[in-house]
Structure formats: structure tokens, C-alpha cells
Amino acid sequence: MALGLAVTGAFAQDAPKEHADQPQDQYVGSMTTLGELQVEIPGRKPGDPVMTDEEFQNATTIYFERCAGCHGVLRKGATGKALTTDLTRENGFEYLRDFIVYGSPAGMPNWGTSGDLSEAEVDMMARYLLLEPPTPPEWGMDKMRETWNVVVAPEDRPTEKMNDIDIDNLMSVTLRDAGQIALIDGANYKIHSIIDTGYAVHISRISASGRYLFVIGRDAKVNMIDLWMEEPATVAEIKIGMEARSVETSKFEGYEDKYAIAGAYWPPQYVIMDGDTLEPLRIQSTRGTTYDEQLYHPEPRVAAILSSHYRPEFIVNVKETGKILLVDYSDLKALTVTEIDAERFLHDGGLDHTQRYFITAANARNKLVVIDTKEGELEAITDSEGLTPHPGRGANFEHPDHGWVWATSHLGDDSVALISTDPEGENAWQVVESFYALGGGSLFVKTHPESNHLYVDATLNPDPEISASVAVYKIDEMKAGEEPEMIVLPIGEWAGIPEGQPRIVQPEFNKAGTEVWFSVWNAKDKVSAIVVVDDKTLELKEVIKDERLVTPTGKFNVYNTRADVY
């Protein structure tokens, strides 16, 4: 294992202000998030742990913010284990408490030892998991229209670009706990704008034209941001539910920017919207039976959504039922949906280098599913040879021995898997190489057509040294059957943040593929940063620090995101 290059002149930490005037303190989420609905303890019974109504409300908020994404609103599990009371009561309070405190190398964060949750909060969450979860209400067209707001009508928007921003090299950066995004210039590292959004924006997506930026928060709020305006700002917004993850726009020729789609975790549904105004046009529930056992599931959440380049279709992952939906948007009055049986529990994924094949992780089953988006059919299901694959969109590159491959890392172990993406090859859609990374808890792998490096994070690893570092591999030195040399970049050390447990997450390239950006994600009351590394030399190039950069997580380069470059 080679150590990353030493760098002098580390930046001194800027201490956060003591009083509550920071964005994370000012942010007030929508009262329709799962965490902020006023809930009552369901069906108290003799023998239930002692918990006040106030504690139950606070625990529900923490569960929404920290736990529901993996374990489900109803705690039935997916990426994370099921936390239904028949299981939690069998394990008991002390087991739950210790697991919350220490986490595990399989991807469960160490909420206690990292300082994210206090000792009292850990105790409260362990008791909370011994009680039945509250069932949130539905969210239909009436609720959506109440929240739909066209801030600037299409006819009142600029007819030409009104700023000098190099939009293609702009970074949209999630400021998780501030309920904002930052638009950062990829050339000079300056923040152009800070824009209020929903809570904990999960992804940023770019319209086919490159003009509009769409973001969706975990509270299911969608913001449509016009990048042509003198000062980029929200021109339309809507809440499509109470918890969500995915938004996308139509890309097929003739339908560019015509529609947008967003998928919800709760209620389990997706909505197709007008691409200029976000007016909700059609809602489709995803409740139904699992593909394998044919049993009804009340919470089949919508995970990744991609837009096909070959057909007027959205590709929609339905996590719990294990079905991939090809949603034909050419006629919303006679909506056609192709339902493909795949595998549970579908999560994230991306396209191969030809943009024809969609490769997605069914992470609780340790499988990778391949869809031919041109023919609209299942191409393959293969074992990832690791535990809980979590690729983000994955990474495409040409291996010296195996040809074109697509890479994923894993939440549950320290392996990286490469699968062959040559549909005519003898190893088509099979894992052709598996090698070690830093440890479990990886969320993203990344490369770029102009790069010779593959980057792998270990964000959720409980070991502070591992979660603050990134593994790098030289692509041209990879050999079949041999463990590639791992270079470790101490990104957290380079950021110069002495307090907290800063976690490194989501490598993202600039447009040219010459730099890779890393979020240094710390607790909301501590200093965070973005570290920029020179891709050729693997040396530190810049540390971006600003008191407005509160808990930066996802970063999305406008050009790479729009063109599906990964």
C-alpha cells in the first residue's frame, strides 16, 4: 500500500461561530417531512420501554434524517437490516444501543463514537426501535398542487444566458444539513451562489439543454434552478412526497427538457412533471408484489431513475419489489410501463460507456442487474462477488487485459468489482476482477475518460483514518489476476480539520477530467471542506473552506452529469 504524497502548508481550522446564525441553525424544514410530522406512540402496551411523547417525536426526526434511507420508513429493511419490533425486541436494548454507538464495517455508521449522536440520543434511539413505527399519511395530487410554485414563469425567464459563468464546469454541491446547495466555479473554486433547497439534497440532475439544474431533497422537495439567470435561482418548486431520492429529465431526441420525473420513498410512487414548470401531470404508485415471492409490499420505494438515450423512457428502480420499470413518456394519457423482474433490493447504478446498458445494484442480494435500454429487456443478472454493492453511477474504463469494464465498490466489505461490459465477449456481464480497497463503507467509485485513475471512497467506515482517506489505482498498470497497487490519499489530513470525524465522500471530476473533487463531510457544528486533487500528479491542488459549506456531501459537475460521463 503506497502512502499519498505529503503536503505542507495545511489550512488552519476556522472555528464555527458560537451563536446560532449559521445556515444549519437557520434552516427550517418543511412541516411535511417525515421527521417533522407530529406523531404519537402507536398502541402503547404493557412492557413497552418508557418513552415520553417528546422523546418519540425527537427520535422520529432523527430516524428520518439518519436511518430511514437504509432501513425504510416502516423499518422493513433494504440496504440496511429490517428493524421491525419482532427483531429489535429479540436483540434487546443493549445490543441496539451498542450497534448505534459503534456501527460496523459493513456500512452502519458509528453514530455514537463519531459524535453525530449524543449518549442521550443513542439511548433514546435504542428505546425508539423497540416501539412500533408511526405510519405517515399519503401524499397525492392535491398535496402536490398545494406546494407547486412557479417562481418565474417561462415567458419571464431570460432568452439568452445572462451571466459569464462557465456552466459546463460548474459544480452543484449539496450542503446537507443547511438545506442548500452551493454552485462552485470549477476553474477558480469560488462560490457563485448559495441556493435554498429541501433538506439534504440527494442528487443534482441537469436538463438535456444544460440550462436547468434539478435537485431533490430527502424531504421530497424539487427545485428547478435556471443557470442562465444573472444570479442562478429557483424558478419552480414542488414537494412530491415526504421522503425522496431521485429526479431526472427527458433526454430522448424530440423530448429534450419536455418532462421531469421524481421518485419518492414515501409515499412509494413517482410523478411525471412538466419540464418547464414542474406542474405535476401524472402520479404512479409503486405498491405491489415482490417479483420473487409474489407477496404484497406496502413500501416499494423508488431508488435510482435514469433517462434513456435510445427510447422515450425513464428507467425507474423499485427497490423492495425488485422490479425495473421502463416508463414510456411519449403519451401520458395512455402511459405504457414495461415491468422487468430483476432482483431485490434495487438501489443505484449507471450506464456503460456506450450509454446503451443500464447496470444497477440489487445491494441487499449482492447482485448486479443489466438492462438493455435499446431493446427494453433484461440482459443479465450477476453476482457482484462482494457484500452490498453501492456504485453510485459506477465507473467505466478500458482495462489493459479485460477491455471495457464497469466498476462498483461495496458497503459491506473492502472489495471493488469490475464487470465486463463487452456484450459479445465470453465474459459479458460477469465479474472479471475483484480487488481490495480501504475497507467496508464505500459509497462511490469514480473515473473519467481523460483519467488514468480509479478512485474509491470509504465514507461510512467506522475507523476515522479510513473514512478520511481515499484509495486510488492506476488503470494502465492493472493486470488480470493481480492485486493492483493501492495508493492512499489522506484527504482529511490535507483538509486540515482537527476536530470531529470528517468523512470523505463522492469523488467528482471537473469537465476536463484534470481534477477530482472530494467532499470532507464533518458534523454540522464543525468545519467541513472540499479538497481538490490534481488527477495527473495525485497532489493537493486546493482546499475550499467557507463558513457556508455546511456538511458538503454530493457534488455534480454540470457537463459530466448531463452527458452521463462516469
Side-chain angles (χ1 to χ4, degrees), residues 194-274:
I194 299 287
I195 298 174
D196 292 335
T197 61
Y199 171 73
V201 161
H202 193 65
I203 58 171
S204 298
R205 291 291 178 259
I206 312 298
S207 67
S209 66
R211 172 175 182 171
Y212 293 110
L213 168 68
F214 294 79
V215 300
I216 188 165
R218 287 189 56 175
D219 58 359
K221 181 178 180 181
V222 180
N223 289 71
M224 178 180 177
I225 298 163
D226 189 351
L227 299 177
W228 278 14
M229 295 172 69
E230 186 174 354
E231 180 71 24
T234 294
V235 293
E237 59 187 10
I238 190 173
K239 271 179 60 66
I240 59 94
M242 282 172 280
E243 188 180 1
R245 293 296 186 277
S246 298
V247 67
E248 182 61 287
T249 65
S250 52
K251 292 182 178 178
F252 187 67
E253 185 177 359
Y255 292 90
E256 297 93 337
D257 298 0
K258 185 174 177 63
Y259 296 116
I261 183 174
Y265 268 24
W266 190 272
Q269 61 191 26
Y270 60 88
V271 57
I272 299 175
M273 301 163 284
D274 180 85

Side-chain angles (χ1 to χ4, degrees), residues 52-131:
T52 66
D53 290 336
E54 182 180 4
E55 283 182 317
F56 192 80
Q57 181 69 50
N58 291 339
T60 299
T61 300
I62 292 174
Y63 185 84
F64 162 70
E65 293 179 347
R66 305 296 186 187
C67 316
C70 286
H71 299 285
V73 173
L74 303 180
R75 302 191 204 154
K76 292 184 178 295
T79 304
K81 295 179 183 295
L83 296 173
T84 49
T85 53
D86 59 320
L87 300 173
T88 59
R89 293 194 171 201
E90 180 179 347
N91 287 322
F93 169 82
E94 291 184 356
Y95 173 90
L96 296 170
R97 180 197 61 199
D98 292 347
F99 208 69
I100 295 169
V101 169
Y102 298 107
S104 79
M108 170 70 177
N110 51 321
W111 297 115
T113 56
S114 68
D116 286 289
L117 296 181
S118 68
E119 184 177 347
E121 287 173 328
V122 169
D123 180 280
M124 178 179 69
M125 293 308 298
R127 285 181 284 128
Y128 176 77
L129 295 177
L130 296 170
L131 297 170

Side-chain angles (χ1 to χ4, degrees), residues 448-477:
H448 186 279
E450 299 301 320
S451 173
N452 184 43
H453 294 118
L454 176 69
Y455 297 85
V456 185
D457 66 23
T459 311
L460 298 184
N461 196 286
D463 185 320
E465 185 175 354
I466 292 176
S467 66
S469 302
V470 171
V472 190
Y473 305 88
K474 293 183 181 295
I475 293 172
D476 65 357
E477 295 180 6

Side-chain angles (χ1 to χ4, degrees), residues 2-74:
L3 182 64
L5 302 171
V7 175
T8 59
F11 286 68
Q13 182 184 21
D14 299 316
K17 297 178 182 178
E18 294 299 325
H19 46 84
D21 61 355
Q22 298 299 290
Q24 66 269 30
D25 303 309
Q26 297 173 345
Y27 175 70
V28 178
S30 164
M31 290 304 294
T32 50
T33 66
L34 289 177
E36 292 174 330
L37 287 171
Q38 295 304 304
V39 295
E40 296 181 356
I41 300 176
R44 292 178 187 262
K45 299 184 291 294
D48 282 352
V50 176
M51 191 166 219
T52 66
D53 290 336
E54 182 180 4
E55 283 182 317
F56 192 80
Q57 181 69 50
N58 291 339
T60 299
T61 300
I62 292 174
Y63 185 84
F64 162 70
E65 293 179 347
R66 305 296 186 187
C67 316
C70 286
H71 299 285
V73 173
L74 303 180

